[in-house]
Amino acid sequence: MAATTRAAFGSNATAAASSRILLKTPFDLKRGINALSFNDGRRLSERLFYCNAIYNPQVQIKREESSAKMEVATDELYTPIKQDTKKGKLRYYPYNINWNYGLLLQTWEDPSFANSEVEGAFGDNDPIDFVEIGDARGEIGEILKVKPLAALAMIDEGELDWKIVTMASLVNDVDDVEKHFPGTLIAIRNWFRDYKIPDEKPANKFGLGNEVASREYALKVITETNESWAKLVKRSIPAGELFARITTTRNIRGYAFKFKLHKK
């Protein structure tokens, strides 16, 4: 059985006495009301943002460490990071990923929304992904503090799967990346385009004219997917579309939630 790291799709992770990382959300249930409210009036995006234009992604795969396909299990309690499976078998990439890779907290790609700017592709029902290009190797479950630099609109079997390129320091936008790390953006695009080919599957496509989008566009994507996440957890998605079924459990740090996505 693959090792599991407790993680946080909906919020930052906090270390518990058992050394596992447990989910702690900024939400609590209103008594007698089937809705979510903020604890202490905190902003919905508090856990996504660190400060100003610094964001909190969570590492799922360490750079150059393993080819195991680690993902956050959004349908399990505490949303653990664990190795993905298909037809009962553990899944692997054909080669190691060359960067720290994971998810941006409190984001969600809405599968009911067709993005007119990206060939009308629908969201893939997951948080958006980040690729961190620094030299330091992150740990699985670690929360980083990074600056968004660029965005790639990957289309995987018809679903939109954003890749946000980030780094903690030194660079600020696409031009800086090309100056200090020439060829890196193309290498990232090619890696995600081609990783299915060894399994005799077609290459992934990219929208936006196959180009790398700017820092400003990346910030727009983060804002929009954070708003989608907010609608999900507040259950304000219109009837007939996806909704979140949320239950709360008490742990030593506060309330945790799990959710499953359903279609009516």
Side-chain angles (χ1 to χ4, degrees):
M1 181 178 295
T4 298
T5 299
R6 297 294 179 184
F9 168 36
S11 73
N12 282 359
T14 54
S18 64
S19 79
R20 293 183 301 177
I21 300 176
L22 294 178
L23 171 66
K24 182 181 179 183
T25 77
F27 302 110
D28 198 351
L29 284 175
K30 290 182 180 179
R31 291 188 178 182
I33 301 177
N34 191 24
L36 291 172
S37 63
F38 305 121
N39 282 340
D40 305 320
R42 286 179 286 185
R43 293 175 55 195
L44 189 68
S45 57
E46 182 181 53
R47 301 302 178 94
L48 168 63
F49 302 106
Y50 175 66
C51 65
N52 297 327
I54 306 299
Y55 291 79
N56 289 332
Q58 187 168 45
V59 177
Q60 293 174 327
I61 300 175
K62 299 189 284 186
R63 67 187 298 267
E64 301 174 342
E65 177 78 9
S66 171
S67 63
K69 194 174 190 298
M70 306 294 289
E71 292 189 346
V72 61
T74 57
D75 60 349
E76 295 187 23
L77 184 63
Y78 303 121
T79 54
I81 293 173
K82 59 193 297 187
Q83 189 168 357
D84 193 25
T85 60
K86 188 173 184 179
K87 296 181 179 179
K89 295 183 178 180
L90 295 174
R91 298 183 67 189
Y92 293 86
Y93 290 112
Y95 26 72
N96 291 3
I97 192 166
N98 300 319
W99 311 275
N100 292 315
Y101 182 65
L103 71 147
L104 270 167
L105 303 174
Q106 296 188 337
T107 62
W108 179 57
E109 298 191 54
D110 185 351
S112 70
F113 173 69
N115 193 315
S116 60
E117 297 179 3
V118 190
E119 303 181 17
F122 290 86
D124 70 350
N125 202 21
D126 281 324
I128 59 175
D129 301 324
F130 84 97
V131 182
E132 198 274 324
I133 62 175
D135 292 332
R137 180 174 293 163
E139 296 297 328
I140 295 177
E142 181 181 358
I143 306 296
L144 304 180
K145 295 178 176 62
V146 300
K147 296 181 289 186
L149 306 171
L152 288 162
M154 192 176 90
I155 301 174
D156 182 358
E157 298 182 3
E159 295 182 334
L160 182 55
D161 186 4
W162 287 105
K163 309 298 180 187
I164 306 298
V165 181
T166 70
M167 193 174 181
S169 61
L170 184 63
V171 293
N172 295 295
D173 54 29
V174 171
D175 291 338
D176 283 349
V177 176
E178 289 297 336
K179 177 181 177 181
H180 295 282
F181 304 94
T184 296
L185 294 173
I186 299 303
I188 292 171
R189 186 187 65 191
N190 292 350
W191 196 100
F192 285 101
R193 181 193 65 194
D194 297 340
Y195 77 85
K196 291 185 176 182
I197 293 176
D199 292 330
E200 300 182 350
K201 295 181 179 179
N204 289 318
K205 297 169 52 182
F206 286 87
L208 304 178
N210 207 38
E211 296 295 328
V212 178
S214 67
R215 173 182 179 274
E216 289 71 24
Y217 200 96
L219 292 172
K220 172 177 174 287
V221 170
I222 294 170
T223 298
E224 290 175 349
T225 54
N226 176 241
E227 291 171 352
S228 295
W229 174 85
K231 293 176 183 178
L232 176 71
V233 297
K234 291 171 67 179
R235 305 185 186 187
S236 61
I237 295 176
E241 298 180 2
L242 294 176
F243 67 97
R245 178 176 297 163
I246 300 177
T247 59
T248 59
T249 59
R250 188 72 177 173
N251 63 37
I252 61 173
R253 298 281 183 162
Y255 281 98
F257 75 84
K258 67 176 180 178
F259 70 88
K260 291 188 177 181
L261 301 176
H262 306 263
K263 285 187 177 180
K264 289 185 177 180

